[in-house]
Amino acid sequence: MCSTSVDDEGCQRLFSRSNSIMESSEQTELVIPRQFLCCKLCDDDLKKPKYLPCLHTFCLKCMEEHILSNTDSDGYFPCPTCATETTLSSESVDNLPSNILAMRLLNPVTEQTTCDMICSTCKNSGNFVDAESHCVTCDNFLCKTCSDSHDSQDETSAHKTQSMDDYNRRTPSNPKQGEIIPTCCSNYDPIDIGALFCVDCDMSVCADCHIANHGDHRCTELMAVANNFEQKIQEPLSELDNDHDILMETLRNLDKKQMTAEKMQKSLTDNVKRRTQVLCGLIQNYERLLLEEIGKRHHQQLQEIKNQKYDMKTHLSAIKGVKDFTETLRNYGTYEEKVYMRKKVGFRIRELCEEPLLPETKEILDLKLTEPHVTVETICDMFGELKEVGAPETKTPGLEDSLSASYNLSHALDSGHGSDNDPELVEILNSAIANGMLSQSHSGSDTDMLGASNTSENMRNVKFSEEVTESEYETDLGYNLENPKREFVLPPGIQRECFKGMGVNNNGDIIVGTTCKDHQSIYVLEKHGILRGQVPVENGWNIHSVSSDGKVALTVPRGDNRFKVRVLTNDGSGHALTDSHVESFGLNFVTADKNGRLMITSNRYAQIRKSHGKSAKSGGNVAVFERDGHLMQRITNEDFQEAGMYLLEKPQCIVCDDKRRRFYLADSGSHSVISFEQDGQLVFQYGNTDTEDEVYQGPDMVAFDKYGNVIVTDKREGRIDILSSKGDLKKSYFMDDIPRFVGATPDKLLMTAMTDGSVKFYEYL
């Protein structure tokens, strides 16, 4: 095994290579990094090195074992180093390309020709005599005279010698590159001035083969191709260096984040333990108070019982005293004594008979410890919840973007080789023509052999002539909404009241607005249906509407088309987001954005005429009011007359997407859902048109999720559509029952409130 130590001579290898075969045959000593010549699987020197398309090299035997144990059912196996998926074009691993560079560097051999050798001993004396034998032991060439002397000397008589013919017939320890690198024939010599490289055949050719077989092909000097490769490779290599630096910096940042996460985990763990100790202390204190109260109540009960027993015993003593006295008087008294004492005895007996038999006693009530109302919510309230602080909101790409990105990337990687327009070869050919290196010129070319870096603008802006038509991805987008992920039933007290609306806030809490004869209330339930709180509505205010994101709108009519409007925040606190007086010809739906700007939909709006003054004009519209009630903007069909569009007829439900600075509304008159930017610019309209089949009978409700998808509900159709942020239909869900309210939770579930009081949550993405 190779050692990984820097001092180990196995980690660095001295080798000789040709500095430039076209310039000189001199050898240069270089230090090859050990990892280039070592197999990552066996951690030993490479043996029969084979490399994968990702250019990672391994031993042939190691590669066979890896492929055997890691190939999936489709015939793909990962690279052991970078996990790049690869498949074999044939079943034999032997067909993988050999790393000829590693083979030469592992076993450097100077290929010697069978030319005459000079005697080493005579050469040192200034004489050049042809050698006739070779000493294998001391690796010297010897002439006839020096060979005889070499054999006769005591210190060299045991050396092994061989003839020059035997020396020239020796088998090298590694194959010649000519046996692996494609060449025209065995007579090819890279030093020959007539040797060229054939671009069409992708092989080196000698002068004879060039004339005989490659005269009509594109041929140029091997050095020109090699030099052009070294020049062209610099730019993508520099981009890879940049990618390497970015990844290393990201890894360092991830290490820092890991340390931060570990510190945070320890801090949170300690905090939880401290809170547990505090809560345990509170529980123990409450235990002590309960035990003291139990003892106090028990003492009071015993005292009451003791007092009642004392009263009864004294009454019994009084009765017994009268009875004993009367019996004694009757048995032993004279007539005079009986007559004299008759009144006193009779008075005492009547007094005892008139006295209540059982004195008025205080009822002794039984004590019991009620069952604790401990739920998950109770524990959360005591401990606190874990919430991410300062987490950036990132846009999650939609399904279409993901498919497009993966399609473009796969084609970008596949387009690196093999087409017919190669600017590299064009430049080589033009240069060769100018210098007279080509035997014949051609106008054809091949593709660039080097793909661009994944962070370069070239990769980002790749364009392809082949385009995938939309019909290739057309599928049935209709689904039945079934098998809810979770569900619960609203509390009976809430079900008995009249629903005004329901929404889901960004924490997953469910906001419900209800009304009954004597009061109106806003309920806040957590995601499992546990009631978290109730916000009473002030007298005089009416719950007008509840948006799908949980904002509750309250209104008070003031006469003459004037209203007092208040919109509450969706956190269940009851705090007002905006509170103002507005003028509007009717209120279809009311909500507000995060800045407190009111959004009101109605079927009519005010119009100023010189003759009649202010009057109502029919037509759906969306009015935007400032917090002080000042009309900021009104969106009507007149804004789109030039485009020939009639958008608004009976706009109903409206919801504001503050993150994307737009709002969505459902118009049951035009049977469409419409999206506007905050400045009133149209984003999209989806629904019934004159040229297409009917889509909606409504729609009735509109909502959005945190990914920008728009959720449209048509109650009469029992249909829920999922649209992209651009207004493209992604999925349609159909239900057997009619949903009362629909919204999206932050944990990627679709909430539906049904007519039977059940609330169900479905996976929909």
Side-chain angles (χ1 to χ4, degrees):
M1 299 294 288
C2 291
S3 171
T4 58
S5 171
V6 176
D7 296 331
D8 193 339
E9 63 182 7
C11 296
Q12 298 182 354
R13 184 179 302 276
L14 293 176
F15 78 104
S16 300
R17 74 177 181 92
S18 174
N19 186 27
S20 177
I21 221 167
M22 299 298 295
E23 297 177 356
S24 171
S25 59
E26 296 179 357
Q27 302 298 317
T28 305
E29 294 292 329
L30 295 177
V31 177
I32 297 300
R34 183 253 182 188
Q35 60 269 23
F36 184 76
L37 303 177
C38 186
C39 176
K40 299 297 188 301
L41 291 174
C42 63
D43 200 28
D44 203 348
D45 286 345
L46 289 165
K47 300 176 183 64
K48 295 184 179 180
K50 298 286 185 178
Y51 67 89
L52 299 175
C54 58
L55 301 185
H56 286 116
T57 304
F58 308 94
C59 300
L60 174 62
K61 183 178 180 181
C62 296
M63 201 69 254
E64 289 175 341
E65 296 175 353
H66 174 76
I67 293 175
L68 184 63
S69 59
N70 293 277
T71 302
D72 60 17
S73 58
D74 296 328
Y76 285 86
F77 61 90
C79 170
T81 301
C82 64
T84 300
E85 292 288 341
T86 307
T87 185
L88 295 176
S89 57
S90 62
E91 297 182 357
S92 176
V93 184
D94 235 350
N95 290 329
L96 285 173
S98 299
N99 191 332
I100 58 174
L101 179 60
M103 294 171 64
R104 182 174 63 82
L105 297 178
L106 280 164
N107 298 299
V109 172
T110 303
E111 297 183 5
Q112 301 183 17
T113 61
T114 58
C115 60
D116 294 335
M117 299 298 175
I118 305 301
C119 175
S120 302
T121 305
C122 296
K123 183 179 179 180
N124 293 335
S125 302
N127 299 321
F128 297 92
V129 181
D130 292 339
E132 294 188 2
S133 62
H134 173 257
C135 179
V136 179
T137 306
C138 58
D139 195 22
N140 285 329
F141 296 100
L142 304 170
C143 64
K144 181 66 173 67
T145 304
C146 294
S147 177
D148 295 339
S149 176
H150 190 79
D151 293 337
S152 61
Q153 293 179 6
D154 295 338
E155 61 271 15
T156 58
S157 59
H159 286 193
K160 180 181 179 181
T161 60
Q162 61 182 167
S163 65
M164 292 305 298
D165 292 338
D166 293 338
Y167 174 77
N168 288 327
R169 284 195 299 268
R170 74 198 188 287
T171 302
S173 59
N174 65 328
K176 299 178 182 179
Q177 288 194 351
E179 298 173 2
I180 301 175
I181 300 177
T183 57
C184 60
C185 63
S186 59
N187 295 327
Y188 168 77
D189 187 354
I191 305 179
D192 187 357
I193 193 172
L196 295 173
F197 179 77
C198 180
V199 176
D200 292 336
C201 300
D202 198 22
M203 69 165 55
S204 300
V205 295
C206 63
D208 295 337
C209 292
H210 172 221
I211 296 173
N213 303 320
H214 303 271
D216 295 335
H217 296 180
R218 293 172 293 172
C219 299
T220 186
E221 288 188 355
L222 186 66
M223 180 178 64
V225 180
N227 290 340
N228 187 77
F229 165 75
E230 293 185 1
Q231 292 174 4
K232 290 294 183 180
I233 202 70
Q234 293 304 318
E235 182 178 354
L237 279 179
S238 63
E239 294 179 356
L240 286 180
D241 289 340
N242 181 52
D243 293 351
H244 177 271
D245 294 340
I246 293 174
L247 291 175
M248 290 302 296
E249 181 64 26
T250 305
L251 283 175
R252 286 192 289 270
N253 291 336
L254 289 176
D255 289 338
K256 293 179 181 178
K257 290 181 180 179
Q258 181 178 354
M259 295 177 62
T260 303
E262 291 174 352
K263 292 180 181 179
M264 180 178 64
Q265 189 268 347
K266 184 179 183 304
S267 175
L268 289 173
T269 302
D270 295 341
N271 197 6
V272 169
K273 291 181 178 180
R274 284 195 300 270
R275 292 194 182 186
T276 302
Q277 293 175 353
V278 171
L279 291 174
C280 288
L282 293 174
I283 293 173
Q284 290 174 351
N285 290 334
Y286 190 64
E287 176 194 26
R288 177 179 55 81
L289 293 175
L290 282 178
L291 293 177
E292 290 178 356
E293 184 66 20
I294 291 172
K296 180 180 178 181
R297 298 284 183 91
H298 178 64
H299 177 74
Q300 291 175 350
Q301 290 176 343
L302 292 180
Q303 188 64 37
E304 290 292 336
I305 294 173
K306 183 178 179 181
N307 293 338
Q308 292 182 25
K309 289 173 67 176
Y310 176 78
D311 293 340
M312 292 179 183
K313 286 180 179 179
T314 54
H315 197 161
L316 286 173
S317 298
I319 293 174
K320 185 177 184 302
V322 171
K323 288 175 64 179
D324 291 345
F325 184 85
T326 303
E327 288 296 326
T328 302
L329 180 62
R330 287 174 59 195
N331 293 329
Y332 303 104
T334 63
Y335 292 119
E336 291 82 0
E337 292 172 341
K338 292 179 180 178
V339 171
Y340 179 76
M341 301 188 70
R342 71 182 191 284
K343 293 183 178 180
K344 292 185 181 293
V345 172
F347 177 78
R348 179 57 179 164
I349 290 175
R350 284 194 303 272
E351 185 180 42
L352 288 177
C353 289
E354 292 175 357
E355 187 175 343
L357 180 62
L358 297 176
E360 184 179 355
T361 60
K362 184 178 180 181
E363 184 179 358
I364 300 174
L365 300 177
D366 293 334
L367 291 178
K368 70 175 182 178
L369 188 63
T370 60
E371 291 296 325
H373 183 63
V374 180
T375 63
V376 175
E377 190 61 38
T378 309
I379 303 300
C380 291
D381 289 339
M382 289 192 299
F383 271 90
E385 298 180 10
L386 291 175
K387 292 187 177 181
E388 295 181 353
V389 179
E393 294 183 346
T394 58
K395 179 181 179 182
T396 302
L399 180 62
E400 304 92 349
D401 298 335
S402 300
L403 287 173
S404 176
S406 57
Y407 170 77
N408 289 341
L409 181 58
S410 64
H411 278 67
L413 295 177
D414 291 341
S415 64
H417 301 274
S419 74
D420 295 329
N421 293 316
D422 189 344
E424 175 199 12
L425 291 181
V426 171
E427 183 175 344
I428 294 175
L429 295 174
N430 291 336
S431 176
I433 293 172
N435 297 317
M437 296 180 183
L438 272 182
S439 60
Q440 186 174 349
S441 62
H442 296 270
S443 59
S445 55
D446 296 319
T447 51
D448 185 4
M449 61 177 291
L450 300 174
S453 167
N454 61 313
T455 60
S456 67
E457 291 300 325
N458 294 332
M459 178 62 76
R460 294 192 185 98
N461 300 320
V462 169
K463 304 294 183 183
F464 305 102
S465 58
E466 178 187 2
E467 301 222 351
V468 179
T469 61
E470 189 174 355
S471 61
E472 294 184 32
Y473 294 107
E474 287 183 356
T475 57
D476 186 7
L477 301 177
Y479 303 89
N480 291 327
L481 202 58
E482 51 191 12
N483 300 324
K485 194 75 174 177
R486 65 172 184 265
E487 60 181 308
F488 64 84
V489 178
L490 291 171
I494 299 179
Q495 290 192 48
R496 286 193 294 267
E497 300 180 6
C498 178
F499 277 76
K500 299 295 290 185
M502 179 183 293
V504 182
N505 64 17
N506 50 9
N507 293 324
D509 297 330
I510 301 170
I511 311 297
V512 183
T514 64
T515 180
C516 62
K517 292 182 179 180
D518 55 351
H519 72 279
Q520 301 185 61
S521 297
I522 301 170
Y523 298 95
V524 183
L525 294 83
E526 61 91 50
K527 63 182 180 181
H528 296 288
I530 300 173
L531 184 62
R532 301 190 71 169
Q534 180 180 358
V535 180
V537 179
E538 297 180 16
N539 292 332
W541 287 92
N542 299 312
I543 297 178
H544 183 273
S545 48
V546 181
S547 62
S548 60
D549 59 354
K551 297 189 184 78
V552 181
L554 310 177
T555 60
V556 177
R558 293 300 188 188
D560 296 331
N561 299 314
R562 296 181 180 274
F563 300 88
K564 186 176 181 181
V565 179
R566 177 183 296 171
V567 178
L568 306 182
T569 58
N570 62 356
D571 57 2
S573 63
H575 297 154
L577 185 62
T578 182
D579 193 344
S580 59
H581 292 78
V582 299
E583 181 178 3
S584 177
F585 284 88
L587 304 175
N588 289 356
F589 201 92
V590 180
T591 189
D593 62 12
K594 67 177 181 179
N595 297 319
R597 288 192 290 265
L598 282 172
M599 305 279 183
I600 298 178
T601 60
S602 60
N603 298 339
R604 299 183 300 160
Y605 59 95
Q607 184 181 44
I608 306 297
R609 296 183 178 179
K610 294 182 179 180
S611 58
H612 301 90
K614 183 183 295 186
S615 62
K617 180 177 181 179
S618 297
N621 67 97
V622 180
V624 182
F625 295 88
E626 293 283 5
R627 293 172 64 95
D628 58 1
H630 173 72
L631 179 61
M632 177 181 175
Q633 183 183 20
R634 188 183 298 277
I635 303 173
T636 68
N637 290 318
E638 296 176 0
D639 300 325
F640 305 96
Q641 280 183 351
E642 294 183 1
M645 302 178 68
Y646 189 80
L647 299 178
L648 304 171
E649 187 170 338
K650 293 180 181 179
Q652 298 292 329
C653 182
I654 187 172
V655 63
C656 299
D657 186 352
D658 296 315
K659 178 181 177 182
R660 294 163 186 85
R661 300 179 61 81
R662 61 177 59 173
F663 58 90
Y664 314 97
L665 63 91
D667 193 311
S668 59
S670 63
H671 305 292
S672 61
V673 58
I674 311 168
S675 173
F676 293 99
E677 299 284 355
Q678 285 190 352
D679 58 1
Q681 295 296 320
L682 177 66
V683 179
F684 69 80
Q685 179 189 21
Y686 179 82
N688 298 6
T689 63
D690 296 335
T691 59
E692 297 181 1
D693 296 337
E694 181 177 301
V695 178
Y696 297 126
Q697 294 187 39
D700 307 282
M701 294 177 290
V702 63
F704 67 94
D705 61 17
K706 65 179 182 179
Y707 304 113
N709 298 315
V710 185
I711 303 168
V712 186
T713 305
D714 192 335
K715 292 184 178 180
R716 282 161 284 188
E717 291 278 349
R719 168 177 177 169
I720 301 174
D721 283 349
I722 311 298
L723 307 181
S724 70
S725 59
K726 298 179 181 179
D728 299 322
L729 178 64
K730 299 174 71 172
K731 291 182 180 180
S732 291
Y733 292 101
F734 296 93
M735 307 181 67
D736 296 333
D737 199 359
I738 298 176
R740 299 175 70 177
F741 303 101
V742 176
T745 68
D747 54 352
K748 300 187 294 187
L749 295 178
L750 185 69
M751 182 205 75
T752 61
M754 311 309 294
T755 55
D756 59 358
S758 63
V759 181
K760 301 179 181 180
F761 299 84
Y762 300 90
E763 291 182 341
Y764 68 102
L765 294 178

